[in-house]
Amino acid sequence: MNSLNRFLAIVLCIKPFFSWNELWFFQVEVPKNRGNRRMQRFYFASTSTTIIRIWSAWLVNQTSEPFDFAPAGVAKLQLDAPDESFMEFITDYDVIVLSSGHWFAKQSVYILQDEIVGGQLWWPDKSKTMKINNIEAFGVSVETALTAMARHPDYTGLTIVRTFSPDHYGGGNWNTGGSCTGKVRPLKDGELVENEFTNVMHQKQVTGFSRAVKKKTNKSKLKLMDISEAFEYRHDGHPGPYRSTDPNKITKRGPDGRPPPQDCLHWCMPGPVDTWNEILFEIIKREL
C-alpha cells in the first residue's frame, strides 16, 4: 500500500460497503477523520494514505428548485451533467470507487437537454408518455459520470465501478412485507430465484460503463468490479431485523405471519462484503 501516496476516494449513493477494519488490515492503526459528514477523510499516517468517502446520491447534478412544470421540493436530476460535488476533486485522487443504483427507486424527475423526460414516483400528466423511466435514467447517469471522468484532461487515476448490489426482500418489497428473516446460509445452485430488477439494473450499468470506456480520451483507467451475480446467492448477509439498536426490537414473525421491520438491502459488517475488499485490493495491486 505504500504506492498509494495520495488519495483513495469512495463515491457512494448507498451505505458504505467496506468494513473499515478490513481496510486497515495492512497495519494496526486508528486513522484521523479530517473531514465532515459530506466528505469524510480518513488519514493513515504510516502510509501517507487518505481514504475519502463522498456522498453523491445519483452521480449526476441534482436540485430541488422548481423546473418547468416540476415544483420545488422534488429532486430533479440533470442526467447529462455529472455531479460536481465529486467531479471538482477527481484530479486529487489516485483511486476512485463508484457505487450507485438504488436511489433511482426514490422519487425524482429526469431532465435531459433542459427538458423533463421522465420521473420516478412522479409524473403528474398521465396523458403524456414518459421518454425515460428510472432504469433507463440509471444507465444514462452511469454513462454521464464515467464519460466525464474518462475525458477529463487532468484526471489520470484509476476508476473502479462496483456493480449493482442485490437485495433480498423475499415475498414482497421493503415496504410490502418483504423479508430475509431466518436466512442463515448462502443459496445453493438451483435455489436462486433471479431478481429481474437487479438483472436489468446491472445490465444498464454495464452498458453505461462500456460506452464510457469507448469514449475515453485521457490517461485514466476504468475497471469494472462485478459483484452482482455472485452476491445474489448471499441472502444471509443482510442485517434483516437486527439493524435496529433497540434492545426490545422484534426479530421474529408475528402470530399473523408478518415479518418484523428489517433491512435486506444493506450488508452486515463484517460479513459477505469483506470479500469485496479483497477484490478491490487485488484490482488496485494489478493496476497501480
mmCIF file of all heavy atoms in Angstrom, residues 119-166:
data_model
loop_
_atom_site.group_PDB
_atom_site.id
_atom_site.type_symbol
_atom_site.label_atom_id
_atom_site.label_comp_id
_atom_site.label_asym_id
_atom_site.label_seq_id
_atom_site.Cartn_x
_atom_site.Cartn_y
_atom_site.Cartn_z
ATOM 1 N N GLY A 119 -39.762 10.500 -14.907
ATOM 2 C CA GLY A 119 -39.736 10.632 -13.448
ATOM 3 C C GLY A 119 -39.997 9.295 -12.788
ATOM 4 O O GLY A 119 -40.479 8.349 -13.410
ATOM 5 N N GLN A 120 -39.655 9.226 -11.526
ATOM 6 C CA GLN A 120 -39.917 8.046 -10.705
ATOM 7 C C GLN A 120 -40.811 8.463 -9.546
ATOM 8 O O GLN A 120 -40.480 9.395 -8.799
ATOM 9 C CB GLN A 120 -38.598 7.462 -10.179
ATOM 10 C CG GLN A 120 -38.738 6.399 -9.106
ATOM 11 C CD GLN A 120 -39.402 5.124 -9.614
ATOM 12 O OE1 GLN A 120 -39.743 4.999 -10.785
ATOM 13 N NE2 GLN A 120 -39.587 4.168 -8.724
ATOM 14 N N LEU A 121 -41.953 7.795 -9.414
ATOM 15 C CA LEU A 121 -42.955 8.139 -8.403
ATOM 16 C C LEU A 121 -43.418 9.589 -8.553
ATOM 17 O O LEU A 121 -43.861 10.219 -7.601
ATOM 18 C CB LEU A 121 -42.413 7.899 -6.990
ATOM 19 C CG LEU A 121 -41.938 6.475 -6.685
ATOM 20 C CD1 LEU A 121 -41.384 6.391 -5.268
ATOM 21 C CD2 LEU A 121 -43.075 5.478 -6.884
ATOM 22 N N TRP A 122 -43.268 10.130 -9.757
ATOM 23 C CA TRP A 122 -43.711 11.492 -10.064
ATOM 24 C C TRP A 122 -43.909 11.603 -11.567
ATOM 25 O O TRP A 122 -42.962 11.467 -12.338
ATOM 26 C CB TRP A 122 -42.671 12.530 -9.621
ATOM 27 C CG TRP A 122 -43.118 13.943 -9.868
ATOM 28 C CD1 TRP A 122 -43.790 14.760 -9.009
ATOM 29 C CD2 TRP A 122 -42.932 14.708 -11.069
ATOM 30 N NE1 TRP A 122 -44.056 15.972 -9.594
ATOM 31 C CE2 TRP A 122 -43.531 15.965 -10.869
ATOM 32 C CE3 TRP A 122 -42.330 14.446 -12.304
ATOM 33 C CZ2 TRP A 122 -43.543 16.960 -11.839
ATOM 34 C CZ3 TRP A 122 -42.343 15.432 -13.285
ATOM 35 C CH2 TRP A 122 -42.941 16.678 -13.050
ATOM 36 N N TRP A 123 -45.134 11.820 -11.959
ATOM 37 C CA TRP A 123 -45.476 12.112 -13.356
ATOM 38 C C TRP A 123 -46.913 12.611 -13.375
ATOM 39 O O TRP A 123 -47.853 11.852 -13.525
ATOM 40 C CB TRP A 123 -45.303 10.887 -14.253
ATOM 41 C CG TRP A 123 -45.331 11.230 -15.716
ATOM 42 C CD1 TRP A 123 -46.317 10.931 -16.613
ATOM 43 C CD2 TRP A 123 -44.340 11.959 -16.438
ATOM 44 N NE1 TRP A 123 -45.994 11.426 -17.855
ATOM 45 C CE2 TRP A 123 -44.775 12.062 -17.786
ATOM 46 C CE3 TRP A 123 -43.112 12.544 -16.093
ATOM 47 C CZ2 TRP A 123 -44.045 12.728 -18.770
ATOM 48 C CZ3 TRP A 123 -42.381 13.203 -17.070
ATOM 49 C CH2 TRP A 123 -42.844 13.287 -18.387
ATOM 50 N N PRO A 124 -47.101 13.952 -13.212
ATOM 51 C CA PRO A 124 -48.449 14.485 -12.981
ATOM 52 C C PRO A 124 -49.390 14.385 -14.168
ATOM 53 O O PRO A 124 -50.601 14.269 -13.989
ATOM 54 C CB PRO A 124 -48.166 15.954 -12.613
ATOM 55 C CG PRO A 124 -46.857 16.263 -13.264
ATOM 56 C CD PRO A 124 -46.068 14.988 -13.187
ATOM 57 N N ASP A 125 -48.854 14.449 -15.384
ATOM 58 C CA ASP A 125 -49.707 14.446 -16.575
ATOM 59 C C ASP A 125 -49.722 13.044 -17.180
ATOM 60 O O ASP A 125 -48.862 12.676 -17.975
ATOM 61 C CB ASP A 125 -49.191 15.461 -17.597
ATOM 62 C CG ASP A 125 -50.186 15.666 -18.740
ATOM 63 O OD1 ASP A 125 -51.143 14.874 -18.851
ATOM 64 O OD2 ASP A 125 -49.989 16.626 -19.521
ATOM 65 N N LYS A 126 -50.723 12.263 -16.784
ATOM 66 C CA LYS A 126 -50.792 10.870 -17.246
ATOM 67 C C LYS A 126 -51.125 10.759 -18.730
ATOM 68 O O LYS A 126 -51.003 9.678 -19.320
ATOM 69 C CB LYS A 126 -51.854 10.110 -16.433
ATOM 70 C CG LYS A 126 -51.642 10.149 -14.926
ATOM 71 C CD LYS A 126 -50.284 9.604 -14.521
ATOM 72 C CE LYS A 126 -50.114 9.630 -13.009
ATOM 73 N NZ LYS A 126 -48.774 9.157 -12.588
ATOM 74 N N SER A 127 -51.529 11.884 -19.345
ATOM 75 C CA SER A 127 -51.842 11.842 -20.776
ATOM 76 C C SER A 127 -50.567 11.851 -21.622
ATOM 77 O O SER A 127 -50.601 11.540 -22.812
ATOM 78 C CB SER A 127 -52.712 13.045 -21.168
ATOM 79 O OG SER A 127 -52.005 14.270 -21.011
ATOM 80 N N LYS A 128 -49.452 12.220 -21.009
ATOM 81 C CA LYS A 128 -48.173 12.228 -21.706
ATOM 82 C C LYS A 128 -47.381 10.970 -21.372
ATOM 83 O O LYS A 128 -47.434 10.467 -20.259
ATOM 84 C CB LYS A 128 -47.362 13.469 -21.312
ATOM 85 C CG LYS A 128 -47.977 14.787 -21.762
ATOM 86 C CD LYS A 128 -47.070 15.954 -21.393
ATOM 87 C CE LYS A 128 -47.651 17.277 -21.872
ATOM 88 N NZ LYS A 128 -46.771 18.423 -21.515
ATOM 89 N N THR A 129 -46.632 10.486 -22.330
ATOM 90 C CA THR A 129 -45.808 9.297 -22.131
ATOM 91 C C THR A 129 -44.390 9.701 -21.737
ATOM 92 O O THR A 129 -43.780 10.565 -22.378
ATOM 93 C CB THR A 129 -45.742 8.453 -23.422
ATOM 94 O OG1 THR A 129 -47.074 8.093 -23.807
ATOM 95 C CG2 THR A 129 -44.905 7.200 -23.200
ATOM 96 N N MET A 130 -43.879 9.088 -20.693
ATOM 97 C CA MET A 130 -42.506 9.358 -20.293
ATOM 98 C C MET A 130 -41.541 8.808 -21.336
ATOM 99 O O MET A 130 -41.734 7.710 -21.852
ATOM 100 C CB MET A 130 -42.198 8.712 -18.930
ATOM 101 C CG MET A 130 -42.879 9.356 -17.754
ATOM 102 S SD MET A 130 -42.167 8.799 -16.173
ATOM 103 C CE MET A 130 -42.533 7.034 -16.254
ATOM 104 N N LYS A 131 -40.497 9.550 -21.607
ATOM 105 C CA LYS A 131 -39.466 9.094 -22.540
ATOM 106 C C LYS A 131 -38.440 8.199 -21.851
ATOM 107 O O LYS A 131 -37.816 7.353 -22.494
ATOM 108 C CB LYS A 131 -38.769 10.297 -23.174
ATOM 109 C CG LYS A 131 -39.673 11.188 -24.010
ATOM 110 C CD LYS A 131 -38.893 12.369 -24.579
ATOM 111 C CE LYS A 131 -39.800 13.280 -25.396
ATOM 112 N NZ LYS A 131 -39.057 14.457 -25.937
ATOM 113 N N ILE A 132 -38.251 8.410 -20.549
ATOM 114 C CA ILE A 132 -37.238 7.682 -19.789
ATOM 115 C C ILE A 132 -37.798 7.271 -18.438
ATOM 116 O O ILE A 132 -38.356 8.105 -17.712
ATOM 117 C CB ILE A 132 -35.977 8.546 -19.582
ATOM 118 C CG1 ILE A 132 -35.247 8.767 -20.906
ATOM 119 C CG2 ILE A 132 -35.022 7.932 -18.570
ATOM 120 C CD1 ILE A 132 -33.992 9.608 -20.788
ATOM 121 N N ASN A 133 -37.667 5.989 -18.093
ATOM 122 C CA ASN A 133 -38.063 5.540 -16.754
ATOM 123 C C ASN A 133 -36.829 5.488 -15.851
ATOM 124 O O ASN A 133 -35.724 5.847 -16.257
ATOM 125 C CB ASN A 133 -38.774 4.183 -16.817
ATOM 126 C CG ASN A 133 -37.877 3.074 -17.374
ATOM 127 O OD1 ASN A 133 -36.646 3.170 -17.377
ATOM 128 N ND2 ASN A 133 -38.495 2.008 -17.856
ATOM 129 N N ASN A 134 -37.005 5.017 -14.619
ATOM 130 C CA ASN A 134 -35.896 5.061 -13.664
ATOM 131 C C ASN A 134 -34.749 4.128 -14.051
ATOM 132 O O ASN A 134 -33.572 4.436 -13.788
ATOM 133 C CB ASN A 134 -36.398 4.742 -12.259
ATOM 134 C CG ASN A 134 -36.932 3.333 -12.107
ATOM 135 O OD1 ASN A 134 -37.563 2.790 -13.020
ATOM 136 N ND2 ASN A 134 -36.699 2.734 -10.950
ATOM 137 N N ILE A 135 -35.051 3.009 -14.675
ATOM 138 C CA ILE A 135 -33.998 2.081 -15.077
ATOM 139 C C ILE A 135 -33.146 2.682 -16.194
ATOM 140 O O ILE A 135 -31.909 2.634 -16.151
ATOM 141 C CB ILE A 135 -34.613 0.740 -15.520
ATOM 142 C CG1 ILE A 135 -35.305 0.065 -14.335
ATOM 143 C CG2 ILE A 135 -33.549 -0.182 -16.109
ATOM 144 C CD1 ILE A 135 -36.117 -1.162 -14.699
ATOM 145 N N GLU A 136 -33.810 3.267 -17.179
ATOM 146 C CA GLU A 136 -33.072 3.909 -18.267
ATOM 147 C C GLU A 136 -32.293 5.120 -17.763
ATOM 148 O O GLU A 136 -31.165 5.383 -18.203
ATOM 149 C CB GLU A 136 -34.049 4.320 -19.368
ATOM 150 C CG GLU A 136 -34.680 3.119 -20.078
ATOM 151 C CD GLU A 136 -35.954 3.487 -20.812
ATOM 152 O OE1 GLU A 136 -36.577 4.514 -20.444
ATOM 153 O OE2 GLU A 136 -36.338 2.758 -21.732
ATOM 154 N N ALA A 137 -32.888 5.852 -16.821
ATOM 155 C CA ALA A 137 -32.206 7.019 -16.244
ATOM 156 C C ALA A 137 -30.935 6.601 -15.526
ATOM 157 O O ALA A 137 -29.907 7.299 -15.588
ATOM 158 C CB ALA A 137 -33.138 7.743 -15.279
ATOM 159 N N PHE A 138 -30.973 5.470 -14.852
ATOM 160 C CA PHE A 138 -29.783 4.956 -14.186
ATOM 161 C C PHE A 138 -28.659 4.701 -15.191
ATOM 162 O O PHE A 138 -27.511 5.100 -14.984
ATOM 163 C CB PHE A 138 -30.118 3.678 -13.426
ATOM 164 C CG PHE A 138 -28.924 2.957 -12.858
ATOM 165 C CD1 PHE A 138 -28.018 3.628 -12.059
ATOM 166 C CD2 PHE A 138 -28.715 1.616 -13.113
ATOM 167 C CE1 PHE A 138 -26.906 2.965 -11.526
ATOM 168 C CE2 PHE A 138 -27.620 0.947 -12.599
ATOM 169 C CZ PHE A 138 -26.717 1.628 -11.807
ATOM 170 N N GLY A 139 -28.987 4.050 -16.284
ATOM 171 C CA GLY A 139 -27.980 3.776 -17.305
ATOM 172 C C GLY A 139 -27.365 5.044 -17.863
ATOM 173 O O GLY A 139 -26.143 5.128 -18.068
ATOM 174 N N VAL A 140 -28.197 6.058 -18.104
ATOM 175 C CA VAL A 140 -27.701 7.330 -18.619
ATOM 176 C C VAL A 140 -26.786 7.990 -17.595
ATOM 177 O O VAL A 140 -25.731 8.533 -17.944
ATOM 178 C CB VAL A 140 -28.874 8.274 -18.974
ATOM 179 C CG1 VAL A 140 -28.347 9.655 -19.376
ATOM 180 C CG2 VAL A 140 -29.709 7.692 -20.099
ATOM 181 N N SER A 141 -27.160 7.931 -16.325
ATOM 182 C CA SER A 141 -26.347 8.572 -15.279
ATOM 183 C C SER A 141 -24.967 7.948 -15.183
ATOM 184 O O SER A 141 -23.966 8.648 -14.991
ATOM 185 C CB SER A 141 -27.060 8.487 -13.926
ATOM 186 O OG SER A 141 -26.980 7.181 -13.372
ATOM 187 N N VAL A 142 -24.893 6.625 -15.295
ATOM 188 C CA VAL A 142 -23.600 5.932 -15.243
ATOM 189 C C VAL A 142 -22.722 6.375 -16.399
ATOM 190 O O VAL A 142 -21.535 6.709 -16.217
ATOM 191 C CB VAL A 142 -23.808 4.402 -15.273
ATOM 192 C CG1 VAL A 142 -22.472 3.681 -15.431
ATOM 193 C CG2 VAL A 142 -24.509 3.941 -14.001
ATOM 194 N N GLU A 143 -23.307 6.389 -17.602
ATOM 195 C CA GLU A 143 -22.535 6.803 -18.778
ATOM 196 C C GLU A 143 -22.077 8.253 -18.645
ATOM 197 O O GLU A 143 -20.922 8.588 -18.981
ATOM 198 C CB GLU A 143 -23.370 6.626 -20.046
ATOM 199 C CG GLU A 143 -22.622 6.994 -21.311
ATOM 200 C CD GLU A 143 -23.444 6.773 -22.573
ATOM 201 O OE1 GLU A 143 -24.566 6.236 -22.471
ATOM 202 O OE2 GLU A 143 -22.958 7.154 -23.662
ATOM 203 N N THR A 144 -22.939 9.110 -18.139
ATOM 204 C CA THR A 144 -22.599 10.530 -17.990
ATOM 205 C C THR A 144 -21.431 10.722 -17.031
ATOM 206 O O THR A 144 -20.447 11.403 -17.353
ATOM 207 C CB THR A 144 -23.821 11.314 -17.488
ATOM 208 O OG1 THR A 144 -24.828 11.336 -18.502
ATOM 209 C CG2 THR A 144 -23.443 12.756 -17.145
ATOM 210 N N ALA A 145 -21.521 10.146 -15.842
ATOM 211 C CA ALA A 145 -20.481 10.338 -14.832
ATOM 212 C C ALA A 145 -19.150 9.748 -15.278
ATOM 213 O O ALA A 145 -18.097 10.391 -15.167
ATOM 214 C CB ALA A 145 -20.925 9.722 -13.506
ATOM 215 N N LEU A 146 -19.184 8.519 -15.804
ATOM 216 C CA LEU A 146 -17.944 7.863 -16.196
ATOM 217 C C LEU A 146 -17.307 8.518 -17.415
ATOM 218 O O LEU A 146 -16.078 8.628 -17.511
ATOM 219 C CB LEU A 146 -18.199 6.383 -16.469
ATOM 220 C CG LEU A 146 -18.590 5.536 -15.250
ATOM 221 C CD1 LEU A 146 -18.804 4.090 -15.672
ATOM 222 C CD2 LEU A 146 -17.530 5.623 -14.166
ATOM 223 N N THR A 147 -18.135 8.965 -18.359
ATOM 224 C CA THR A 147 -17.597 9.639 -19.535
ATOM 225 C C THR A 147 -16.899 10.938 -19.140
ATOM 226 O O THR A 147 -15.823 11.270 -19.651
ATOM 227 C CB THR A 147 -18.707 9.925 -20.558
ATOM 228 O OG1 THR A 147 -19.278 8.687 -20.990
ATOM 229 C CG2 THR A 147 -18.160 10.676 -21.764
ATOM 230 N N ALA A 148 -17.511 11.679 -18.214
ATOM 231 C CA ALA A 148 -16.897 12.922 -17.757
ATOM 232 C C ALA A 148 -15.539 12.660 -17.115
ATOM 233 O O ALA A 148 -14.583 13.420 -17.326
ATOM 234 C CB ALA A 148 -17.825 13.622 -16.764
ATOM 235 N N MET A 149 -15.432 11.570 -16.375
ATOM 236 C CA MET A 149 -14.160 11.219 -15.748
ATOM 237 C C MET A 149 -13.147 10.741 -16.787
ATOM 238 O O MET A 149 -11.964 11.085 -16.738
ATOM 239 C CB MET A 149 -14.385 10.141 -14.689
ATOM 240 C CG MET A 149 -15.291 10.601 -13.555
ATOM 241 S SD MET A 149 -15.706 9.275 -12.416
ATOM 242 C CE MET A 149 -14.129 9.054 -11.583
ATOM 243 N N ALA A 150 -13.616 9.967 -17.745
ATOM 244 C CA ALA A 150 -12.734 9.382 -18.751
ATOM 245 C C ALA A 150 -12.249 10.399 -19.785
ATOM 246 O O ALA A 150 -11.311 10.122 -20.533
ATOM 247 C CB ALA A 150 -13.449 8.236 -19.466
ATOM 248 N N ARG A 151 -12.883 11.555 -19.818
ATOM 249 C CA ARG A 151 -12.497 12.589 -20.789
ATOM 250 C C ARG A 151 -11.913 13.829 -20.108
ATOM 251 O O ARG A 151 -11.557 14.796 -20.795
ATOM 252 C CB ARG A 151 -13.704 12.970 -21.648
ATOM 253 C CG ARG A 151 -14.235 11.826 -22.492
ATOM 254 C CD ARG A 151 -15.472 12.225 -23.277
ATOM 255 N NE ARG A 151 -15.160 13.166 -24.336
ATOM 256 C CZ ARG A 151 -14.804 12.820 -25.582
ATOM 257 N NH1 ARG A 151 -14.722 11.540 -25.910
ATOM 258 N NH2 ARG A 151 -14.544 13.726 -26.483
ATOM 259 N N HIS A 152 -11.831 13.808 -18.770
ATOM 260 C CA HIS A 152 -11.266 14.958 -18.058
ATOM 261 C C HIS A 152 -9.783 15.064 -18.389
ATOM 262 O O HIS A 152 -9.023 14.114 -18.161
ATOM 263 C CB HIS A 152 -11.465 14.787 -16.554
ATOM 264 C CG HIS A 152 -11.206 16.028 -15.763
ATOM 265 N ND1 HIS A 152 -9.955 16.608 -15.675
ATOM 266 C CD2 HIS A 152 -12.041 16.810 -15.020
ATOM 267 C CE1 HIS A 152 -10.024 17.681 -14.913
ATOM 268 N NE2 HIS A 152 -11.276 17.836 -14.517
ATOM 269 N N PRO A 153 -9.328 16.189 -18.906
ATOM 270 C CA PRO A 153 -7.945 16.274 -19.398
ATOM 271 C C PRO A 153 -6.876 16.109 -18.316
ATOM 272 O O PRO A 153 -5.736 15.740 -18.630
ATOM 273 C CB PRO A 153 -7.880 17.674 -20.017
ATOM 274 C CG PRO A 153 -8.982 18.451 -19.362
ATOM 275 C CD PRO A 153 -10.067 17.457 -19.109
ATOM 276 N N ASP A 154 -7.220 16.347 -17.057
ATOM 277 C CA ASP A 154 -6.220 16.308 -15.988
ATOM 278 C C ASP A 154 -6.383 15.118 -15.048
ATOM 279 O O ASP A 154 -5.656 15.011 -14.063
ATOM 280 C CB ASP A 154 -6.278 17.608 -15.172
ATOM 281 C CG ASP A 154 -5.987 18.831 -16.015
ATOM 282 O OD1 ASP A 154 -5.066 18.753 -16.855
ATOM 283 O OD2 ASP A 154 -6.679 19.852 -15.850
ATOM 284 N N TYR A 155 -7.328 14.232 -15.337
ATOM 285 C CA TYR A 155 -7.534 13.068 -14.453
ATOM 286 C C TYR A 155 -6.778 11.866 -15.009
ATOM 287 O O TYR A 155 -6.991 11.453 -16.153
ATOM 288 C CB TYR A 155 -9.022 12.745 -14.338
ATOM 289 C CG TYR A 155 -9.312 11.499 -13.510
ATOM 290 C CD1 TYR A 155 -8.832 11.379 -12.214
ATOM 291 C CD2 TYR A 155 -10.052 10.445 -14.038
ATOM 292 C CE1 TYR A 155 -9.080 10.250 -11.455
ATOM 293 C CE2 TYR A 155 -10.315 9.307 -13.282
ATOM 294 C CZ TYR A 155 -9.819 9.216 -11.992
ATOM 295 O OH TYR A 155 -10.059 8.095 -11.244
ATOM 296 N N THR A 156 -5.898 11.294 -14.191
ATOM 297 C CA THR A 156 -5.090 10.144 -14.616
ATOM 298 C C THR A 156 -5.234 8.960 -13.662
ATOM 299 O O THR A 156 -4.451 8.023 -13.728
ATOM 300 C CB THR A 156 -3.603 10.532 -14.698
ATOM 301 O OG1 THR A 156 -3.163 10.986 -13.396
ATOM 302 C CG2 THR A 156 -3.375 11.630 -15.720
ATOM 303 N N GLY A 157 -6.219 9.000 -12.789
ATOM 304 C CA GLY A 157 -6.350 7.969 -11.769
ATOM 305 C C GLY A 157 -7.031 6.697 -12.251
ATOM 306 O O GLY A 157 -7.362 6.536 -13.430
ATOM 307 N N LEU A 158 -7.248 5.798 -11.309
ATOM 308 C CA LEU A 158 -7.936 4.527 -11.543
ATOM 309 C C LEU A 158 -9.364 4.637 -11.026
ATOM 310 O O LEU A 158 -9.578 4.916 -9.843
ATOM 311 C CB LEU A 158 -7.198 3.395 -10.820
ATOM 312 C CG LEU A 158 -7.902 2.044 -10.703
ATOM 313 C CD1 LEU A 158 -8.154 1.437 -12.082
ATOM 314 C CD2 LEU A 158 -7.091 1.096 -9.826
ATOM 315 N N THR A 159 -10.343 4.421 -11.900
ATOM 316 C CA THR A 159 -11.757 4.429 -11.515
ATOM 317 C C THR A 159 -12.269 2.999 -11.498
ATOM 318 O O THR A 159 -12.166 2.291 -12.501
ATOM 319 C CB THR A 159 -12.600 5.263 -12.492
ATOM 320 O OG1 THR A 159 -12.102 6.603 -12.531
ATOM 321 C CG2 THR A 159 -14.064 5.284 -12.059
ATOM 322 N N ILE A 160 -12.820 2.577 -10.362
ATOM 323 C CA ILE A 160 -13.366 1.234 -10.213
ATOM 324 C C ILE A 160 -14.867 1.350 -9.973
ATOM 325 O O ILE A 160 -15.307 2.013 -9.022
ATOM 326 C CB ILE A 160 -12.697 0.492 -9.037
ATOM 327 C CG1 ILE A 160 -11.179 0.400 -9.261
ATOM 328 C CG2 ILE A 160 -13.293 -0.912 -8.864
ATOM 329 C CD1 ILE A 160 -10.419 -0.139 -8.064
ATOM 330 N N VAL A 161 -15.647 0.719 -10.829
ATOM 331 C CA VAL A 161 -17.103 0.759 -10.709
ATOM 332 C C VAL A 161 -17.578 -0.549 -10.101
ATOM 333 O O VAL A 161 -17.451 -1.615 -10.700
ATOM 334 C CB VAL A 161 -17.770 0.963 -12.081
ATOM 335 C CG1 VAL A 161 -19.296 0.989 -11.929
ATOM 336 C CG2 VAL A 161 -17.270 2.246 -12.723
ATOM 337 N N ARG A 162 -18.097 -0.464 -8.877
ATOM 338 C CA ARG A 162 -18.686 -1.641 -8.246
ATOM 339 C C ARG A 162 -20.124 -1.774 -8.704
ATOM 340 O O ARG A 162 -20.899 -0.835 -8.631
ATOM 341 C CB ARG A 162 -18.635 -1.503 -6.717
ATOM 342 C CG ARG A 162 -18.889 -2.820 -5.984
ATOM 343 C CD ARG A 162 -19.870 -2.649 -4.845
ATOM 344 N NE ARG A 162 -21.186 -2.274 -5.346
ATOM 345 C CZ ARG A 162 -22.098 -1.667 -4.613
ATOM 346 N NH1 ARG A 162 -21.868 -1.319 -3.380
ATOM 347 N NH2 ARG A 162 -23.280 -1.374 -5.141
ATOM 348 N N THR A 163 -20.472 -2.944 -9.223
ATOM 349 C CA THR A 163 -21.776 -3.092 -9.859
ATOM 350 C C THR A 163 -22.914 -3.144 -8.845
ATOM 351 O O THR A 163 -22.705 -3.204 -7.636
ATOM 352 C CB THR A 163 -21.818 -4.348 -10.754
ATOM 353 O OG1 THR A 163 -21.520 -5.504 -9.952
ATOM 354 C CG2 THR A 163 -20.822 -4.227 -11.890
ATOM 355 N N PHE A 164 -24.125 -3.136 -9.377
ATOM 356 C CA PHE A 164 -25.364 -3.026 -8.601
ATOM 357 C C PHE A 164 -25.452 -4.100 -7.515
ATOM 358 O O PHE A 164 -25.257 -5.281 -7.774
ATOM 359 C CB PHE A 164 -26.557 -3.146 -9.550
ATOM 360 C CG PHE A 164 -27.874 -2.788 -8.938
ATOM 361 C CD1 PHE A 164 -28.232 -1.468 -8.745
ATOM 362 C CD2 PHE A 164 -28.771 -3.776 -8.549
ATOM 363 C CE1 PHE A 164 -29.456 -1.128 -8.193
ATOM 364 C CE2 PHE A 164 -29.993 -3.452 -7.995
ATOM 365 C CZ PHE A 164 -30.337 -2.121 -7.812
ATOM 366 N N SER A 165 -25.735 -3.656 -6.311
ATOM 367 C CA SER A 165 -25.794 -4.553 -5.156
ATOM 368 C C SER A 165 -27.184 -5.175 -5.024
ATOM 369 O O SER A 165 -28.180 -4.453 -4.909
ATOM 370 C CB SER A 165 -25.461 -3.773 -3.880
ATOM 371 O OG SER A 165 -25.565 -4.597 -2.740
ATOM 372 N N PRO A 166 -27.295 -6.509 -5.043
ATOM 373 C CA PRO A 166 -28.621 -7.139 -4.974
ATOM 374 C C PRO A 166 -29.230 -7.047 -3.585
ATOM 375 O O PRO A 166 -28.511 -7.054 -2.574
ATOM 376 C CB PRO A 166 -28.333 -8.602 -5.346
ATOM 377 C CG PRO A 166 -26.908 -8.810 -4.983
ATOM 378 C CD PRO A 166 -26.217 -7.501 -5.212
#
